[in-house]
Amino acid sequence: SENDFSGDGFTNLSSYLWANTSLTHLTMERCSLNPRCGDAIASGISRNEVLRFLYLAGNFLGDEGATTLAKTLEHQTSLKVLDISENNICRAGGLALANAIKLNRTLVSLILKANRFDGAVASAMAESMQGNKVLLKVEMQFNPIDHKSLRELETAVSVNREEFKKRQLPEYVMKRDELLDIFSQKDTIDAEMVAVAEVLENARRELEEVETAAAKEKEEIIAANTLLEEELDKLLDEAIELDKQKTNLDRDMTDQNFIFEEKKGRMIAQLGRHRTEFEKFSKEVH
């Protein structure tokens, strides 16, 4: 705000607003905006679908700029708040804005303070609001408006606000009933939570028992494995000892066989000598 756009500073503003896909708030208060700037802004927001808040107070838009903005407002679908206070707008621009209100279905707040509107503009605004139930706030303080016309406008705004509250009431009642229904089920929910807690506690105890039994069984298995390993070691020692004994026995048998064969050979040799001597003796006898 408070920049000078009275020269060519607004030439690219329209293109920027056309292409905008993220800007939701635009404040250009006291920027020396003239009717040509108003034309650029109106052209830019005519295709903009994201801008929600537009503040142009304290400029020089006049009837021409206000009329251009009004034509855009007839079909603009995103703007919620428009502030064009202190812009030297007179009856022509005010009536154009009032006519735009008949067609616009998104604007919620229209701020028109300290312009040059008269009672005719306020009455036209009030009449337009009979067909527009979206607009909830119209501020026209510090304008030369008679009390009767201003009262008509205040009444129209009050009617819109009351109808808005009524439209919101069913949603409120529905949410209230949902909360009451939830509250009425509190005892049941509490009982279910207690039951769930008991189930969880029993499950925890069973798990502890299973873990204890598993630990005990594991200890028994470890002890059995230890005994088995000791028995295996013992049997292995016995097998080694038996193998040693077998080796010794085989060696002893080998020695005995050698002695036996040796004795056997001597006996055969001795028997051969005795046979020879016997045969010799038999011949001598005959």
Side-chain angles (χ1 to χ4, degrees), residues 142-261:
F142 311 111
N143 282 281
I145 302 173
D146 60 273
H147 290 291
K148 180 183 177 181
S149 300
L150 190 59
R151 184 61 181 168
E152 290 177 1
L153 179 61
E154 291 174 349
T155 300
V157 171
S158 296
V159 169
N160 271 15
R161 289 183 177 181
E162 289 299 321
E163 292 186 1
F164 174 78
K165 291 178 181 179
K166 291 179 181 179
R167 291 196 301 271
Q168 298 301 310
L169 185 60
E171 182 178 356
Y172 163 77
V173 172
M174 185 181 299
K175 290 182 179 180
R176 183 202 64 185
D177 291 343
E178 289 177 357
L179 290 174
L180 289 175
D181 183 57
I182 293 173
F183 185 77
S184 67
Q185 298 177 21
K186 181 177 182 300
D187 293 340
T188 302
I189 294 173
D190 289 343
E192 291 178 353
M193 291 182 65
V194 170
V196 170
E198 291 178 353
V199 171
L200 291 175
E201 179 62 21
N202 292 334
R204 184 187 65 78
R205 291 175 181 175
E206 291 178 0
L207 180 60
E208 288 181 353
E209 292 176 357
V210 169
E211 289 177 347
T212 301
K216 183 178 180 180
E217 183 177 359
K218 181 180 178 181
E219 291 177 356
E220 292 175 353
I221 291 174
I222 292 174
N225 285 338
T226 301
L227 292 175
L228 182 60
E229 289 177 356
E230 292 176 354
E231 291 293 330
L232 288 174
D233 291 340
K234 184 177 179 181
L235 288 174
L236 181 60
D237 292 340
E238 292 179 354
I240 293 173
E241 184 62 27
L242 287 174
D243 187 63
K244 290 180 180 179
Q245 292 178 6
K246 179 178 179 297
T247 300
N248 293 332
L249 182 60
D250 290 341
R251 186 172 56 251
D252 291 342
M253 289 186 67
T254 300
D255 293 341
Q256 292 294 329
N257 285 335
F258 178 78
I259 294 171
F260 173 76
E261 292 296 332

Side-chain angles (χ1 to χ4, degrees), residues 30 56-63 66 82-91 94 97 110-118 121 138-145 150 153:
R30 295 172 176 78
L56 303 174
N59 288 293
F60 305 98
L61 298 179
D63 284 339
L82 174 62
D83 185 355
I84 48 176
S85 301
E86 303 178 57
N87 267 279
N88 198 32
I89 306 172
C90 300
R91 177 183 289 185
L97 289 168
L110 180 59
I111 306 171
L112 305 169
K113 298 177 183 179
N115 281 290
R116 299 174 63 187
F117 301 127
D118 56 14
V121 175
V138 179
E139 297 186 10
M140 299 186 69
Q141 297 93 323
F142 311 111
N143 282 281
I145 302 173
L150 190 59
L153 179 61

Side-chain angles (χ1 to χ4, degrees), residues 2 11 16 22 99 119 123 135 138 179 210-211 271 275-276 282:
E2 298 188 5
T11 54
Y16 172 77
S22 60
N99 188 64
S123 296
L135 189 61
V138 179
L179 290 174
V210 169
E211 289 177 347
L271 181 61
R275 179 177 293 176
T276 301
S282 295

Side-chain angles (χ1 to χ4, degrees), residues 35-46:
R36 290 182 60 197
C37 298
D39 292 345
I41 293 172
S43 177
I45 66 173
S46 64

